[in-house]
């Protein structure tokens, strides 16, 4: 299993950014993708979880109403659409995969991360 994040970069506070996580190397359908982030000096925190089999989507309180995650099944890719970005959103964003729906716990596979920097 391989997860590759993309789309990170510099975004102005109040702006928008789309992150993507492309999964490959497996054919099992029942899995969940989670987005996580880690700022310098802080612990990794969960941002969102999405089941590939149309399960409920969960979001951290800090991003509710601003971030949306969705599947692009044709590309085996999960997007994280970030709007009204705040300084506290600046972090390295990782996607993780778990079989079934145990996201955000028990994530089994991880990408290498993509950095989001927020400017004034």
């Amino acid at each position: 299993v391989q997860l590759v994040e993309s789309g990170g970069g510099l975004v102005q506070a109040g702006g928008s950014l789309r992150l993507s996580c492309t999964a490959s190397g497996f054919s099992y359908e029942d899995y969940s993708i989670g987005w996580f982030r880690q700022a310098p000096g802080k612990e990794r925190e969960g941002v969102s979880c999405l089941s590939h089999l149309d399960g409920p989507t969960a979001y951290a309180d800090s991003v509710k109403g601003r971030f949306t995650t969705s599947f692009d099944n044709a590309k085996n890719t999960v997007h994280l659409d970030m709007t009204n970005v705040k300084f506290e959103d600046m972090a390295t964003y990782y996607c993780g995969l778990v079989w079934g729906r145990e996201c955000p716990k028990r994530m089994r596979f991880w990408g290498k991360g993509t950095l989001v920097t927020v400017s004034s």
Side-chain angles (χ1 to χ4, degrees), residues 93-113:
Y93 283 72
Y94 301 87
C95 63
L97 182 149
V98 61
W99 306 123
R101 306 183 185 192
E102 294 193 79
C103 180
K105 300 177 181 180
R106 303 180 185 275
M107 306 309 289
R108 185 168 177 184
F109 303 97
W110 293 94
K112 294 183 178 180

Side-chain angles (χ1 to χ4, degrees), residues 7-17 19 35-40 42-43 45-48 59-68 80-94 114-119:
L10 182 65
V11 58
Q12 199 168 19
S16 300
L17 196 67
L19 305 183
W35 280 100
F36 299 78
R37 65 187 181 185
Q38 187 167 20
K42 295 187 177 181
E43 294 186 355
E45 65 168 338
V47 174
S48 68
Y59 297 95
D61 289 341
S62 58
V63 305
K64 281 181 181 177
R66 301 188 298 118
F67 290 10
T68 304
L80 181 69
D81 289 299
M82 307 166 60
T83 63
N84 190 20
V85 174
K86 302 178 179 181
F87 287 110
E88 51 263 42
D89 295 323
M90 185 160 60
T92 299
Y93 283 72
Y94 301 87
T114 186
L115 179 63
V116 173
T117 304
V118 182
S119 66

Side-chain angles (χ1 to χ4, degrees), residues 1-4 21-27 31 33 75-77 97 99 109:
V1 174
Q2 186 176 23
L3 302 174
V4 179
C21 171
T22 300
S24 62
F26 64 97
S27 58
Y31 64 93
I33 294 284
K75 298 181 180 179
N76 226 26
T77 296
L97 182 149
W99 306 123
F109 303 97

